[in-house]
């Protein structure tokens, strides 16, 4: 790079003082950002990507300190700068936007006032024109009726709108560098696209430099000029976005890149090369296992409904799921896809018999289940046959039970095996099936990693020998490399045990990898249904097309 | 705003109903013969029978309850055997003394506890932080009547700085003309500096006693909620936007942190109204608390029951005010999404 | 507390040495006590209090009820380290012997309210609906009173006995327990592991026993320790104004009350020593409560 760097980080090391001694969260990191350039920092949790940016802003919490290295911004030594000088830089020269936009705004101050605070602090506005300038800032992030929004409190706005406000706040003083720390995590994919496009357009317009911190390699590749990959506090590779995808040099980058779900690949392609046997072809499903007809869930109107801009009839009731019909064949995987609030989780809870339906029928193995109240279903003979893998592996394990106890619970309740020794050996068999090392069986959840907890949850779900397993975003809380392994495990288990899956997810790519058929939901209804390949490659409904278009498209790999 | 006010008023109704029912039960569950209790220890059987009729204790319970409520509505809380006055009149005349003492103590506590809590949270591990921890832990451990006695010993007996712990004014001063019933305010309003000085000298120790008592929970919650808010995402945003430390701590952090503090004030009032009874006994303060204690010792139950009911109603009103104050600070209250 | 998310500093899975839950808790407890000598001090104090409560009559140097008018109002001396009261009774002996009654009142009231409030709260949080409404209404009604005032009213109505002090103290603490248990149960009612327990065929009752209660117990234990102090204060306050315990029974609150009238004439020791005992006992339980909270719930440190 010939232009002098706007931000120049050399050999940066950040330490945290913890109870177990000093931990180096960032080690000898080098990073340069040129004027107008967009640089992505990509890494999984614990890679030190956020800490690096906090160190640049000098907003590390009190336990953390910059131990070594230098940070220069426009020639100013940020490590040596006085706090007063830093305060002038923050917000005016370097700005930052954060994950979870709603929490990033002061809940009891109107959004307009919050923008005004920043403008006034940096003497960009006086008492006379602050309001006007704040409204201008809102207009620039394309907020309609900005003058009205000025008086809104964050809780009155949607997550995507809050993120626009945060962006307005960050860009109000026209800084030269914007640091975006996981700016779209937790937002729906269509909102993510809108927010990212806005950031890209605004920063381009103003010739600003941007650092995009994300766990999503696809997102970084779609929006960045250069990408820096971090692992365990170190930079493992820096290259142009195109090069990272087409010629990843470092083995970690290759693993990460391969693990990122993308069009045109199979499940096995997610795993490191040559590490798994090829996937045998799926058996051809024939027999119907589950039939859902006219399923609805209606909640009586009472506050809260305003949160969902959803169809409500004059009586004010809220139809979370509206007249839904579909079926699942034996040995088949069906994906239930949609954005938050589309009713996919409500649907799975009803099929799971944790929630009573308002109307409709659920026929499972030729038995009508909708008549059995959810609270009595625990003792129903078909209870063991429908099981579930939960979204958050931590939350789904009783903190006071060991892994073995958690896996044994269904065995004990359904009395599939009896006798302590037999139960133990069954637990070990299950642990082997899900690839959980046997010596971890006696550990408590807090002593296990996220991936290990996910395996315990899967072992528990398959323990009673279910015919249908509902997977509720089973990998949403996991890093991509772990996700790749877990998805493959699920596919293998399905084939081995002849189960069917109902896979609930917001991520079309992940669904396509695991599922034979896909159902796209919106507003409690099905908008499209078909084979995974058809829905993804030849979507018919406009909404499906919008969803697919919103997924960040990394530069395609020519060879794949 | 008016709608919120009406809403809040309506939400106090169940609490009020609960309080009336409990007070009714307390008057009826007296073990043994309620009429005998009310008649006092020296009453003849005829007198007891007379009182039984008067109180309607020979009637079925629902009718008794109806009668109890009607009497309450008329403001009839019965007669005090000790003073010979209607309980309501007694309570009315003594309430300002208690209210003045409680508010004095509370204001004193707030003035010290809020800055201490903020300072402790902003400068973790500093002297203020340690002081705050000590105050918070030691303060809740001190029996309020014991603190009062220690202060009396120190400031009256040893140092001689403070007048004898006997009432609201020393025996030479006369009460200022009644305006609010608060001697401190009334004496100032009337321009009687000497009376003001006397009233202040008298209220200093009991007020300090209550303040020490209320200090601990307020400082503790202020520190804790400041810490929580300082760690919140929006404070990080404010810092990252380069706002000054003062702006961040006061406008962003403290205004949010004050919400739990306001909520805690309800609990603090509950403690203060109870502690008031003990402090009034120690300092011979002529308030409703010492009135109730005197009646209790004389087995004169109507004043005690009247006192319990009056305090409960007062407490409900205070909680209502706290709720309204909360609504003024927090825009999320009263909106459908909250 | 933390301004920056610190992924790298997140606690790594513990080494397998700490595999057993009990052992892990114990070692953590040792760590906390070692880390925080104040908690260690509090445990020492607790042992002393319990020893006084159990062995009181045998270790007291004098008969706590024996009066000796010739030695009345004697200041602390070698013979009477805490001095004597207006009847010449030895204050040290009375303070020691009183420990049993004061602790007994607190312990029984806490056990009572733990059982009643804890169960009611867990049921309310877990089942919701009517159970929740009734428990909530009862708790709200109690909370509508200033608590000490309500305790006064209850003891005045039920009769002036120690048992009624225990009952009154339990009643005014009911909302605290019911609300804590309710909140914790309600949070866990929809937790993944409770849903999972439903799927594995557990009945509601079993879920309550195996999944909800064990996870709430530690917090309830902290609550018990903290309310022990409050119960002691409350009982002492009641006896200070002449409710419950009657003279000449040795009890800290009533002893302070007896000494109160002598404070203005300078006989400080009569009220001071029972008052100090009271303060130390409450202090001790509060410190232990804080220490337990650190063990149970390190995030909630304040």
């Amino acid at each position: 790079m010939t232009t002098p760097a706007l931000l120049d980080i050399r050999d940066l090391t950040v330490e945290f003082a913890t109870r177990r001694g000093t931990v180096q969260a960032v080690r000898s990191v080098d990073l340069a950002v040129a004027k107008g350039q967009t640089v992505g920092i990509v890494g999984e949790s614990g890679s030190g990507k956020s800490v690096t940016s906090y160190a640049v802003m000098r907003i590390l919490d009190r336990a953390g300190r910059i131990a070594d290295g230098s940070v220069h911004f426009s020639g100013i030594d940020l490590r040596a700068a006085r706090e007063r000088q830093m305060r002038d830089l923050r917000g005016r020269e370097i700005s930052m936007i954060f994950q979870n936009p709603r929490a990033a705004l002061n809940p009891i101050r109107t959004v307009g006032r919050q923008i005004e605070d920043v403008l006034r602090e940096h003497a960009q506005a006086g008492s006379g024109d602050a309001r006007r300038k704040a409204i201008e800032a809102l207009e620039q992030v394309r907020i309609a009726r900005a003058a009205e929004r000025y008086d809104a409190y964050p809780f009155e706005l949607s997550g995507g709108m809050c993120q626009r406000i945060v962006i307005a706040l960050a860009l109000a003083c026209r800084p030269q560098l914007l640091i975006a720390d996981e700016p779209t995590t937790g937002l729906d994919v269509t909102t993510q696209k809108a927010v990212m496009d806005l950031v890209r357009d605004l920063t381009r317009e103003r010739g600003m430099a941007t650092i995009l911190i994300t766990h999503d390699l696809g997102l970084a590749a779609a929006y960045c000029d250069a990408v820096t990959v971090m692992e365990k506090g170190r930079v493992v590779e820096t290259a142009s976005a195109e090069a990272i995808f087409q010629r990843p040099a470092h083995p970690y980058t290759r693993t990460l890149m391969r693990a990122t779900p993308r069009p045109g690949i199979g499940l096995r392609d997610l795993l490191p090369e040559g590490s798994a046997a090829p996937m045998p072809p799926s058996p051809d499903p024939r027999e119907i296992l589950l039939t859902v007809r006219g399923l609805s869930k209606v909640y009586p109107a009472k506050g809260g409904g305003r949160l969902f801009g959803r169809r409500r009839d004059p009586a004010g009731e809220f139809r979370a799921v509206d007249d839904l019909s579909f079926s699942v064949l034996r040995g088949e995987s069906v994906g239930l896809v949609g954005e938050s609030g589309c009713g996919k989780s409500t649907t799975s809870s009803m099929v799971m018999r944790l929630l009573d339906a308002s109307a409709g029928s659920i026929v499972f193995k030729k038995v009508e289940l909708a008549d059995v109240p959810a609270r009595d279903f625990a003792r129903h003979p078909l209870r063991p046959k429908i099981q579930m893998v939960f979204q958050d592996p931590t939350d789904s394990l009783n903190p006071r039970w060991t892994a073995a106890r958690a896996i044994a619970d269904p065995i004990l309740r359904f009395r599939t095996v009896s006798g302590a020794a037999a139960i133990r050996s069954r637990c070990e068999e299950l642990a082997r099936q899900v690839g959980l090392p046997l010596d971890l069986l006696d550990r408590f959840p807090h002593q296990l990693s996220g991936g290990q907890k996910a395996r315990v949850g899967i072992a528990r779900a398959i323990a009673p020998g279910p015919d249908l397993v509902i997977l509720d975003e089973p990998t949403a809380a996991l890093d991509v490399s772990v996700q790749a392994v877990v998805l493959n495990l699920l596919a293998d288990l399905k084939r081995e045990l002849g189960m069917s899956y109902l896979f609930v997810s917001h991520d079309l790519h992940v669904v396509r990898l695991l599922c034979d058929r896909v159902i796209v939901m919106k507003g409690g209804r099905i908008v499209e249904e078909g084979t995974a390949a058809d829905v993804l490659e030849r979507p018919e409904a406009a909404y499906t097309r919008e969803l697919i278009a919103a997924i960040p498209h990394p530069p395609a790999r020519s060879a794949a | 705003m008016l709608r919120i006010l009406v809403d809040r008023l309506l939400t106090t109704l169940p609490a009020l109903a609960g309080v009336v029912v409990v007070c009714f039960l307390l008057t009826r569950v007296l073990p043994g013969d309620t009429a005998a209790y009310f008649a006092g220890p020296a009453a003849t059987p005829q007198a007891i029978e007379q009182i039984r009729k008067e109180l309607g204790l020979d009637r079925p319970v629902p009718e008794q309850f109806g009668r109890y409520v009607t009497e309450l509505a008329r403001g009839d809380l019965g007669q005090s055997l000790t003073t010979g006055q209607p309980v309501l009149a007694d309570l009315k005349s003594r309430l300002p003394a208690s209210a003045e003492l409680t508010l004095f103590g509370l204001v004193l506590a707030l003035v010290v506890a809020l800055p201490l809590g903020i300072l402790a949270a902003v400068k973790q591990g500093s002297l203020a932080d340690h002081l705050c921890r000590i105050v918070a832990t030691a303060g809740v451990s001190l029996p309020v009547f014991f603190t009062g006695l220690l202060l009396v010993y120190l400031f009256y007996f040893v140092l001689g700085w403070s007048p004898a712990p006997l009432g609201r004014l020393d025996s030479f001063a006369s009460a200022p003309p009644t305006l609010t019933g608060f001697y401190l305010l009334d004496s100032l309003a009337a321009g009687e500096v000497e009376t003001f000085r006397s009233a202040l000298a008298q209220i200093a120790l009991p007020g300090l006693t209550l303040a020490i008592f209320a200090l601990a929970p307020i400082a503790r919650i202020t520190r804790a909620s400041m810490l929580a808010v300082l760690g919140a995402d929006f404070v990080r945003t404010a810092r990252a936007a380069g706002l000054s430390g003062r702006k961040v701590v006061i406008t962003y952090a403290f205004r949010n942190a004050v919400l739990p503090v306001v909520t805690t004030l309800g609990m603090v009032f509950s403690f203060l109204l109870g502690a008031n009874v003990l402090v009034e006994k120690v300092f011979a303060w002529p308030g409703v608390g010492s009135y109730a204690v005197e009646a209790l010792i004389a087995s004169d139950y109507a004043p005690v029951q009247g006192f319990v009911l009056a305090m409960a109603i007062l407490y409900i009103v205070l909680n209502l005010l706290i709720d309204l104050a909360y609504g003024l600070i927090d825009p999320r209250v009263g909106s459908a999404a909250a | 507390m933390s301004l920056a998310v610190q992924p790298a500093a997140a606690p790594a899975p513990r080494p397998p040495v700490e595999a057993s839950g009990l052992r892990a808790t114990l070692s953590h407890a040792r760590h906390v006590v070692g880390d925080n000598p104040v908690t260690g001090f509090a445990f020492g104090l607790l042992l002393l209090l319990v020893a006084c409560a159990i062995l009181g009559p045998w270790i007291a140097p004098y008969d706590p009820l024996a009066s000796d008018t010739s030695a009345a109002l004697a200041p602390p001396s070698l013979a009477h380290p805490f001095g004597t009261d207006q009847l010449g009774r030895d204050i040290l002996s009375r303070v020691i012997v009183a420990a049993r009654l004061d602790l007994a009142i607190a312990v029984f009231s806490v056990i009572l309210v733990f059982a009643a409030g804890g169960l009611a709260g867990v049921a309310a949080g877990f089942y919701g609906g009517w159970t929740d409404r009734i428990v909530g209404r009862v708790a709200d009604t109690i909370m509508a009173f200033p608590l000490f005032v309500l305790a006064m009213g209850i003891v005045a109505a039920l009769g002036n006995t120690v048992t009624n002090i225990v009952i009154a103290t339990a009643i005014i603490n009911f909302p605290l327990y019911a609300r804590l248990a309710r909140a914790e149960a309600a949070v866990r009612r929809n937790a993944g592991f409770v849903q999972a327990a439903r799927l594995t065929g557990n009945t509601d009752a079993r879920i309550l026993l195996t999944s909800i209660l064990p996870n709430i117990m530690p917090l309830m234990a902290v609550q018990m320790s903290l309310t022990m102090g409050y119960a002691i204060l409350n009982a002492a306050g009641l006896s200070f104004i002449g409710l419950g315990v009657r003279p000449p029974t040795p009890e800290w609150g009533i002893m302070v009350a007896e000494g109160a009238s002598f404070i203005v004439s300078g006989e400080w020791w009569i009220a001071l020593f029972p008052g100090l005992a009271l303060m130390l006992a409450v202090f001790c339980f509060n410190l232990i409560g804080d220490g337990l909270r650190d063990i149970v719930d390190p995030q909630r440190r304040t």
Side-chain angles (χ1 to χ4, degrees), chain B residues 22 36 72 126 201 209 225 272 275:
Chain B
V22 169
L72 276 190
S126 68
T209 309
S225 64
L272 274 179

Side-chain angles (χ1 to χ4, degrees), chain A residues 96-129:
Chain A
M96 197 155 175
I97 56 180
F98 300 94
Q99 191 176 345
N100 194 359
R102 205 186 294 275
L105 292 168
N106 187 344
I108 60 169
R109 202 166 173 79
T110 61
V111 295
R113 290 293 295 278
Q114 296 188 48
I115 294 172
E116 260 187 41
D117 286 340
V118 181
L119 286 168
R120 284 177 184 225
E121 184 73 41
H122 298 296
Q124 305 281 312
S127 49
D129 57 351

